[in-house]
Each structure stands twice: as structure tokens, then as C-alpha cells.
Amino acid sequence: MASLQMAALLSAPSTPVTSDRVRLGPLRLSASSSSAARNGGALVVRSEAKVSGGGVSARGLSLITHAVAEKAAAASSADSKPGHELLLFEALREGLDEEMERDPTVCVMGEDVGHYGGSYKVTKGLATKYGDLRVLDTPIAENSFTGMGIGSAMTGLRPVVEGMNMGFLLLAYNQISNNCGMLHYTSGGQFKIPIVIRGPGGVGRQLGAEHSQRLESYFQSIPGLQMVACSTPYNAKGLMKAAIRSENPVVLFEHVLLYNLKERIPDEEYVLSLEEAEMVRPGEHVTILTYSRMRYHVMQAAKTLVNKGYDPEVIDIRSLKPFDLYTIGNSIKKTHRVLIVEECMRTGGIGASLRSAIIDNFWDYLDAPILCLSSQDVPTPYAGTLENWTVVQPEQIVAAVEQLCK
Amino acid sequence: MAAFSAVKIPPPQFTTVRSSSQRPGSSPAHFAHSPSAFNSISFGSAKSVRSRPLFAVSSDVVSSSDKTKPASSSASNPAVTREVALELYEDMVLGRAFEDMCAQMYYRGKMFGFVHLYNGQEAVSTGFIKLLNQSDKVVSTYRDHVHALSKGVPSREVMAELFGKATGCCRGQGGSMHMFSAAHNVLGGFAFIGEGIPVATGAAFSAKYHHEVLKQSKPEGLDVTLAFFGDGTCNNGQFFECLNMAQLWKLPIIFVVENNLWAIGMSHLRATSDPEIWKKGPAFGMPGVHVDGMDVLKVREVAQEAIARARRGEGPTLVECETYRFRGHSLADPDELRKPDEKAHYAARDPIIALKKYIIEHGLASESELKSIDKKIDDVVEDAVEFADSSPLPPRTQLLENVFADPKGFGIGPDGKYRCEDPLFTQGTAQV
């Protein structure tokens, strides 16, 4: 079973592969491509577990629906443990690598993604494997290379555009708002834009105001865009693959401080749903909705809360636009109390939209006002103390839950 | 060809106008062939509008074939065949007649908003686009009706789009400034100037990718992308960023500048430190060409070479077409700033009249044949109006249909089903 090294002991395991919401793709048993060899077009997979119906071409793998049975087969093998451990940035790379291998129209564009391997090493090694055109090192021209990604998406490619820091994508706002979000509509459905725009954002360790921005609140009004935020290696890989396969333009928010999270993820191929939220810890007393790095502050607070006798239900909403009203609603119908914990600024943030969505849909189920803990409306200061007070800390979460449950 | 190296443009080089106090070493600004025109420009008095345009020069360089011959003897050597001449004539007449009809329809309340007409610039659209294949791409700006028509989008679909009807090429959702056609590879139609240039660069990148990565090569060469934009755009960052990237990766794109000297009410000379846009090509390592954009044959000649270059994988070209719009910036523009003599100068260089004269002088067709083309086009445009008039308006159900290519993007509703599965969605009455 997958488990997070950093999460509190009380967290539930990540969504198991057998969930009916997770689509299962063709079976792959080798995680790192370096252990597989090409043999006349067929990908020969080497792994500890034996597989029936072995090597087929990388693109022509037929859908194997009995991944559960495969897990049993893997478990029966004496020396293999299911899954493999990796860091979050490696999980992103694995997802990207698998999709690039599967579909030759998938390409990467961004600053230093090629020879440098990406500022956070998400694309390390891909340029050597796929060439300089498929992993394109761009000049420093965000608006134009994002527009270039959009133009190539309209003409048959599936680009993954990396913002070296999400904040830099402010320079690409013209293209993201006007073209990425709009062109499918203004063309009357003639052109689709299957682009993924991704990069690290969020408040880091004293990176200064401009490198500590949360663009999810700026992008959320753009019609035609989907936004997801990953928080674990498991969902990072799954969301990366889902975003690439989606016909819609998707913005994938990663967080600077989460790239070195370690987790054991399945060997089998899996793709997560872009629109679904993730149940992190089931509970009874209060629904805590969060995403990205704040998930870990929430889980830390959950430890304290459990010791104090509370039973919080923690949901990582993952899909920032649109919201998964089913998972969220079911939780509210059970607990009747909602706390939103986010890293966005208070004004116009994701929490603000989530609050109004909850009021619109679940007003009758609420026993208390919805509390929302957000970052201060402040340009993130450099000083460590000030920076800590800018974002939500576990003590504040504990206090908020206590207030809600009074 | 000689036209394509900046080095081959005859000296003396144009030197930027600056007051001598800024650049002590520079010679006073002068410009071969029209010194009197140029001396009236001095630092700080750029508001003076000259009666003659600055760049009426280099076009002679391009059509080198005619340079030494007196006009009469070229009658025996037409630059194009009869078929091509008639094709060009018909396309330009279609562009003109269509735009004139747009003006009529606008004032009769059939179309709304911002409508930007192309009258006077037909030679650029026809000169370039008629050389393209179906799989080549065209990216334009808000002045895009005629680019769409030249590329082959039916007049009916463009007119219906302008009327906001469901039968328009974009289902009425785009409007005048957003003409798209997947079938004819027209990639828009953009309202903000400059924002189409990166999209065009992406389409060119895609062509190169299809050839090099996907190994889908064609015998004729790479698919070419044309990016059309104006003089005002040439001061915009996206223009320069894309010149750099296109040349860096040798993308099969042609940057076609429709320099009509005016960006709404801003004269090109008041907005631009160095008004010779073609020079900005060599600054990035690509050929920069200036051509008389009121002469469709000269434009076509330049276009032929630029397109051939791109197809061979030799990279981009920057082509500056000196042209003029006979109407205001849009139908809402009172057009008070342009001087009557400037307008008269260019009206005398009407590209359609010039081509007609050329065709008749070279015996390629008779006057009555050309008149019958005029009549045919009038019928086409009338038919387009009738079609648009009788077409239905988009229903409420259409509102949410094209927001997402994959409507799962609307998310999961409280009942656990995807919102798009809700019947109210298809009825168009669900709240997003």
C-alpha cells in the first residue's frame, strides 16, 4: 500500500488503484525506462513479476482490465514488493516520459527544460531521449512560447509548456486568457487546444514576493481552462498523465516545496481523473478542504486535533476548476461543518470561489458558517518570520476547527 | 533571388532620424530617391504628414524584370498567365465587393460591434494566399474577412458569421474579428494585435515537427504558415519574440506586414523609432523585403520566393508590404487624421484598377470578360447576404457547447454525475 513518508500517521493511504474512478491503462511493469529495452519495435519489459501476454509495442498495448489480478500475481512472486519509490519531481517526469513514449505528438516547451533538465529537474534526461525538438529549450519569451504552444496544439501537437516558475506565466497571461481559454469557443469548436501548462508555484523558503505567487486565483476566472493542483507523487504522476491526455487546456500547479516528497507508487500504469477530489482522511466532525502544500499543514494539524478528540475529514480538492461537488458535498452532508485551508490570498482566491459554490449547493447542510483560512493579502515577504505569518500554519488550523466545533 | 538579401537593397542605407546632438557621428538623414520627402521629417516634428509616402522605392528593386524596359514593351511579356491573372482579379474583386457589402449591412443594422474593412489592401491577401495549398495555414488579425475569403472560406459562411448566425464559420460565436476555419486552415482572427503571431509561429513549429519528428513529409515540402499583421504590431513585443524564435529554429513561416501607415489614428512615423520595418528582419538573421503592396503581381513575386524558401526549410522571411486602407480603421472610425492628398495618392494606386489595366494592356482578357467577373462576384456577395439573412440565430442550447472540447471540464455535480450529463446543460438552462 502506498504511504507518504511526510504525512501524519493518521492519514489514510492514497486512493488505491482499484477505485472505480481510476481508469486503468495498459499494463507496464517497469517503472524506469532505463530497464526496458527496445526489441524491434516491441518494448521488452523487465521486472521481477512475471506477466502473461508479455511484450507488445509501446503504442499498441491492449487494455488489460485485470490489474488487480496482476497485483496478486506480483504479490505471489517472492522477492518483489509492489510499487516503486520515488520523489514527486521524478513522478512527474515518469508520467511525462510515459506519455511522450505513448504519443509522439506530446512535446515539451519551456526555458531550460532540455539540456538543463528543468529548473526542478522534472524534464531531466528527456531531451537526450527524445531530442531537442520534442523537448524544446525556448528563449525567455513566455507570452510568445506559450502562444507557440497554443498554435501547435491547434495544429495537431500536444505540447506541455513549462513555466520555470508559475509566476513567470503572468507574462503569458495574454495568450493563456485570450487564446488558450477562448479559441475553442470563438472558433465554434473547430480547433481544440490540448495543451498542458505546468510549473512550480506557491510560497517557498524565502524566495521573495515575485517567486512566491499563487496564480491559481488569477487564472480561475478564465473560461475554457481546467486547473488541477498535485500534492503527492501518486497524484502528481496521475494528474500529469490525465492533463496530457485531456482535450482541454489544463493548468497543472505544482509546488516548489513538494518536489522532494517521497512515496511508493504503483508500477502499473494509472491515470487519475482531472475533475475528482481526493479523500485524504475520512472523518465525522468537520470537513477540511485543502490543496497542494496546505494539505500537509492540515495533516499536521489533524494529528493535534485527533489527540484533542476531534475527527476531521480531510479532502484534497485537487481540481481547482471545476470543483468536485460530489466528494465535497457528500462530506458536508456528513459533517455539516466546513473549513477551507488554502495558500491563495484571501481576496479572490480559490477559497472564495469554493465558499460560494458550497453556499450555492449545500446551504441546507451547514450547521456553522464556512471558515476559510488563506494567506494574508500581502506580497510574500523575504524575512522568514514574516513569511511564516503570511501563510496558514497548523496552529491556526487547529484553532479554526476548535472554533467550528464549539 | 536578389530581393531577399538586405545587403542587395541598393545603398545608401537609411539612417535613423535623430537630432544630431544624440548621434554626433551620424550623417544627416537622407534617403535615396525621395530626399525632399525625407527632409521634412526632423526629430520632434514627426507630426508632419508628408504628401508622399517614404518608401515608394524598393518595390522597383523587386520587380527587376521591368526596371529597364519602357512600359509599352512589357506588353509582350506578361508576368502571369491568363488563368492566374483572372484568378487574382476575381479574388481581389471578391474582397472589395464583400467589404463594401459589409459596410452597407453594418449601416443597415445587420452586423454589429467592431468591423474592420480591408478595402485597398486586397493585393496583399490575394498576392500571398493564392499561392498557398489547402494545408498551408493563414493567421490574421481583426482585419481578417478577406484573408478568410482568399483562403477559400465560402462568402456565405463569412457573411453569416458577421450577422451572428448559427451557420457562420464559427457558429456566430467569433464575429468579425475571429474568423476561423479548420477546413481551410484559417487559424484566426485575433482581436489583440500581436497575439496571433505566436499562434502562427506554433503552427509553423508544428509543420516542422510533423516533418522531423513524426516523419510525415510531403513531396512539395513543409507546410507554410503566413502571419498577417500591421505596422502598429511591429512595435509589439510578441512580434520581436517570434522573429527570434522563427529564425532560431528555421520555422516555415512568413511574417507579412501590411504597413498601411496608420494604427487607428497613430501614424506609423509617430510610433516607430525606425519606420523601415523590413530592416527588422536582418536584425534577427532573416531576409527582410519591402514590396509595393498595391501591386498584386509584385506581391506575388515576392511571396513565391518566400514561400519556396520556407518549404525548403530555409526558414522565415519578413515581408513589408506598403499598402493603404481606403476606409477608416473600423466602421466606427471617423478617419479625420489622414490627409486627403495621402488618400488620393493611394486611391490612384488602387490594386484592382491596376491589375485590370495590366490585364487589358497585355491582352490577357477583354473588358467584357472582366465585367462579367464583376457581375459574378456581385451575385456571390448578394447570395451570401441572402443566406446570412435567412439563417437562424444561435439557440440558447448553443451557449455552453464549445466552452470545452471535453465537456467533462464543467466538473462533477453534487449528484455524482458529470455536469455535462445533466439534460439542462444541453437545453442551455443550467447554471455553469
Side-chain angles (χ1 to χ4, degrees):
Chain A
M1 275 314 217
S3 64
L4 250 68
Q5 281 197 350
M6 262 193 65
L9 294 168
L10 299 157
S11 69
S14 305
T15 316
V17 193
T18 49
S19 158
D20 58 314
R21 289 261 190 213
V22 172
R23 281 182 278 130
L24 298 169
L27 187 67
R28 271 170 192 279
L29 285 192
S30 170
S32 88
S33 52
S34 58
S35 71
R38 288 210 175 275
N39 182 5
L43 187 67
V44 175
V45 173
R46 282 187 226 132
S47 91
E48 291 127 353
K50 296 285 184 268
V51 180
S52 56
V56 284
S57 74
R59 294 194 64 198
L61 283 170
S62 56
L63 188 70
I64 299 170
T65 53
H66 48 276
V68 178
E70 287 300 330
K71 253 173 81 171
S76 70
S77 155
D79 50 351
S80 79
K81 201 178 172 184
H84 54 285
E85 239 181 23
L86 41 50
L87 305 181
L88 193 146
F89 77 90
E90 292 169 334
L92 288 167
R93 186 190 333 139
E94 204 172 86
L96 186 49
D97 192 358
E98 284 178 15
E99 291 304 299
M100 288 181 80
E101 186 137 8
R102 173 183 178 267
D103 183 347
T105 63
V106 179
C107 54
V108 182
M109 311 177 175
E111 295 158 10
D112 272 330
V113 296
H115 295 186
Y116 194 76
S119 53
Y120 290 90
K121 303 301 175 208
V122 172
T123 49
K124 186 172 173 188
L126 295 183
T128 319
K129 184 174 176 187
Y130 295 109
D132 281 348
L133 205 62
R134 277 192 84 182
V135 187
L136 187 73
D137 277 324
T138 61
I140 305 173
E142 276 81 4
N143 203 20
S144 291
F145 71 68
T146 306
M148 207 177 92
I150 292 163
S152 32
M154 288 165 76
T155 47
L157 302 186
R158 304 187 81 93
V160 178
V161 173
E162 171 170 317
M164 189 185 264
N165 183 286
M166 281 306 242
F168 301 170
L169 294 181
L170 288 173
L171 291 151
Y173 208 102
N174 178 187
Q175 292 292 337
I176 294 174
S177 169
N178 280 7
N179 290 346
C180 193
M182 288 190 192
L183 289 190
H184 184 73
Y185 195 84
T186 52
S187 68
Q190 292 183 81
F191 291 97
K192 59 182 172 119
I193 325 258
I195 193 175
V196 178
I197 297 174
R198 51 159 290 271
V203 176
R205 297 248 180 273
Q206 300 189 252
L207 300 179
E210 292 181 5
H211 282 81
S212 311
Q213 303 194 65
R214 281 79 73 200
L215 257 53
E216 54 267 23
S217 54
Y218 302 172
F219 289 153
Q220 65 174 322
S221 292
I222 300 175
L225 223 54
Q226 268 190 268
M227 306 198 307
V228 288
C230 62
S231 50
T232 68
Y234 178 80
N235 64 37
K237 179 178 173 183
L239 290 176
M240 169 73 92
K241 290 168 72 82
I244 291 173
R245 293 192 193 190
S246 172
E247 301 297 333
N248 298 332
V250 179
V251 185
L252 169 58
F253 290 93
E254 303 153 14
H255 197 286
V256 281
L257 293 181
L258 299 184
Y259 279 126
N260 288 324
L261 284 182
K262 192 186 282 197
E263 186 182 5
R264 180 168 293 275
I265 67 169
D267 292 326
E268 306 86 63
E269 187 179 20
Y270 66 94
V271 182
L272 295 178
S273 165
L274 286 176
E275 296 86 24
E276 284 180 28
E278 187 178 315
M279 176 66 71
V280 183
R281 181 194 187 279
E284 296 290 324
H285 290 163
V286 60
T287 299
I288 306 183
L289 302 172
T290 184
Y291 65 92
S292 192
R293 182 198 169 203
M294 287 296 117
R295 167 186 174 140
Y296 296 96
H297 281 203
V298 167
M299 292 313 295
Q300 208 179 319
K303 264 206 276 197
T304 314
L305 286 167
V306 166
N307 286 342
K308 292 189 173 193
Y310 295 96
D311 187 20
E313 175 152 297
V314 180
I315 294 175
D316 183 338
I317 61 172
R318 253 173 29 190
S319 176
L320 306 181
K321 180 180 165 148
F323 296 130
D324 177 0
L325 295 176
Y326 182 62
T327 308
I328 293 171
N330 285 351
S331 178
I332 296 173
K333 289 173 188 174
K334 183 169 50 157
T335 68
H336 311 295
R337 289 176 166 77
V338 183
L339 170 65
I340 301 169
V341 181
E342 58 162 358
E343 204 175 296
C344 269
M345 265 81 79
R346 173 159 229 78
T347 306
I350 298 290
S353 301
L354 192 47
R355 231 179 186 165
S356 40
I358 293 172
I359 290 171
D360 281 346
N361 289 286
F362 308 115
W363 172 258
D364 289 329
Y365 298 97
L366 293 171
D367 281 350
I370 305 169
L371 282 189
C372 182
L373 296 178
S374 329
S375 295
Q376 300 291 313
D377 281 337
V378 152
T380 310
Y382 165 73
T385 46
L386 294 177
E387 185 182 70
N388 285 339
W389 292 320
T390 311
V391 299
V392 178
Q393 299 296 342
E395 304 77 52
Q396 294 166 276
I397 301 171
V398 172
V401 170
E402 290 180 321
Q403 187 194 333
L404 259 183
C405 294
K406 249 201 272 273
Chain B
M1 242 177 86
F4 285 86
S5 166
V7 172
K8 304 266 176 71
I9 303 286
Q13 289 281 20
F14 170 77
T15 51
T16 311
V17 183
R18 293 254 187 257
S19 70
S20 48
S21 60
Q22 281 192 345
R23 291 250 189 103
S26 68
S27 48
H30 65 281
F31 191 68
H33 306 275
S34 55
S36 58
F38 199 76
N39 285 341
S40 64
I41 304 296
S42 57
F43 186 71
S45 69
K47 74 172 178 61
S48 64
V49 176
R50 302 142 300 109
S51 56
R52 273 189 294 141
L54 186 59
F55 318 115
V57 170
S58 332
S59 52
D60 289 347
V61 176
V62 177
S63 64
S64 50
S65 55
D66 286 340
K67 204 170 177 188
T68 50
K69 292 182 199 158
S72 56
S73 75
S74 63
S76 55
N77 264 342
V80 288
T81 63
R82 173 191 150 86
E83 287 73 32
V84 170
L86 292 180
E87 183 193 11
L88 301 181
Y89 181 79
E90 184 171 329
D91 193 54
M92 289 205 288
V93 169
L94 173 62
R96 180 71 58 88
F98 189 93
E99 299 290 73
D100 282 340
M101 183 59 79
C102 282
Q104 264 196 62
M105 292 298 114
Y106 188 85
Y107 295 127
R108 284 195 206 168
K110 303 278 195 176
M111 58 176 84
F112 304 93
F114 293 127
V115 179
H116 309 82
L117 299 182
Y118 201 73
N119 298 48
Q121 301 183 194
E122 295 86 358
V124 181
S125 179
T126 300
F128 268 94
I129 298 181
K130 282 313 179 192
L131 289 169
L132 295 182
N133 299 331
Q134 190 275 343
S135 58
D136 294 321
K137 321 273 191 286
V138 166
V139 177
S140 180
T141 62
Y142 45 73
R143 204 178 298 284
D144 56 350
H145 307 167
V146 177
H147 294 137
L149 293 172
S150 290
K151 193 61 169 60
V153 183
S155 313
R156 285 182 156 198
E157 288 183 26
V158 181
M159 191 61 83
E161 182 64 29
L162 292 167
F163 280 33
K165 300 293 180 88
T167 50
C169 54
C170 301
R171 308 180 81 198
Q173 289 166 192
S176 167
M177 298 184 279
H178 304 284
M179 291 292 167
F180 287 82
S181 169
H184 300 279
N185 282 308
V186 177
L187 269 58
F190 293 91
F192 285 23
I193 61 151
E195 72 180 358
I197 304 178
V199 173
T201 309
F205 176 82
S206 189
K208 184 179 166 99
Y209 190 102
H210 277 80
H211 170 71
E212 287 190 19
V213 176
L214 301 178
K215 311 290 186 210
Q216 292 168 10
S217 306
K218 297 184 180 177
E220 55 267 29
L222 296 170
D223 281 339
V224 166
T225 303
L226 299 185
F228 291 93
F229 48 93
D231 44 285
T233 308
C234 296
N235 295 324
N236 187 275
Q238 290 176 92
F239 168 63
F240 297 109
E241 290 174 0
C242 290
L243 286 184
N244 178 45
M245 293 197 291
Q247 177 61 23
L248 185 64
W249 298 315
K250 295 249 191 313
L251 301 182
I253 183 172
I254 300 160
F255 297 100
V256 184
V257 182
E258 295 171 319
N259 183 355
N260 57 25
L261 299 177
W262 290 88
I264 308 186
M266 190 64 166
S267 152
H268 177 57
L269 299 168
R270 290 185 67 218
T272 317
S273 56
D274 184 348
E276 293 193 295
I277 301 170
W278 59 268
K279 283 165 64 177
K280 299 179 190 189
F284 287 88
M286 75 179 78
V289 191
H290 179 277
V291 68
D292 175 4
M294 305 306 275
D295 183 330
V296 66
L297 298 178
K298 288 181 184 156
V299 172
R300 187 182 162 91
E301 199 178 339
V302 167
Q304 236 149 8
E305 175 63 23
I307 291 171
R309 257 179 57 84
R311 284 213 203 287
R312 292 192 296 265
E314 291 171 22
T317 312
L318 176 66
V319 181
E320 180 187 354
C321 304
E322 179 201 344
T323 183
Y324 202 76
R325 50 168 166 83
F326 293 159
R327 291 181 180 268
H329 163 75
S330 72
L331 289 172
D333 173 20
D335 194 15
E336 290 160 341
L337 289 179
R338 304 192 300 174
K339 294 277 190 297
D341 48 359
E342 184 184 88
K343 295 187 197 178
H345 170 86
Y346 281 98
R349 290 165 61 185
D350 187 325
I352 296 176
I353 296 175
L355 182 66
K356 184 169 181 176
K357 183 160 171 276
Y358 185 94
I359 287 174
I360 290 173
E361 275 178 4
H362 286 74
L364 294 169
S366 64
E367 177 112 22
S368 64
E369 281 179 291
L370 297 180
K371 277 214 171 4
S372 71
I373 292 179
D374 292 348
K375 171 87 183 47
K376 174 180 155 198
I377 292 299
D378 280 341
D379 290 341
V380 165
V381 174
E382 288 276 352
D383 168 78
V385 171
E386 273 168 32
F387 173 79
D389 239 345
S390 57
S391 289
L393 289 162
R396 179 79 201 258
T397 52
Q398 197 181 304
L399 182 65
L400 301 175
E401 273 173 7
N402 299 126
V403 177
F404 290 107
D406 179 359
K408 296 214 298 283
F410 285 115
I412 301 169
D415 59 359
K417 290 205 293 237
Y418 277 97
R419 308 280 310 283
C420 55
E421 296 171 307
D422 173 3
L424 292 183
F425 243 73
T426 46
Q427 289 167 28
T429 49
Q431 290 284 79
V432 176

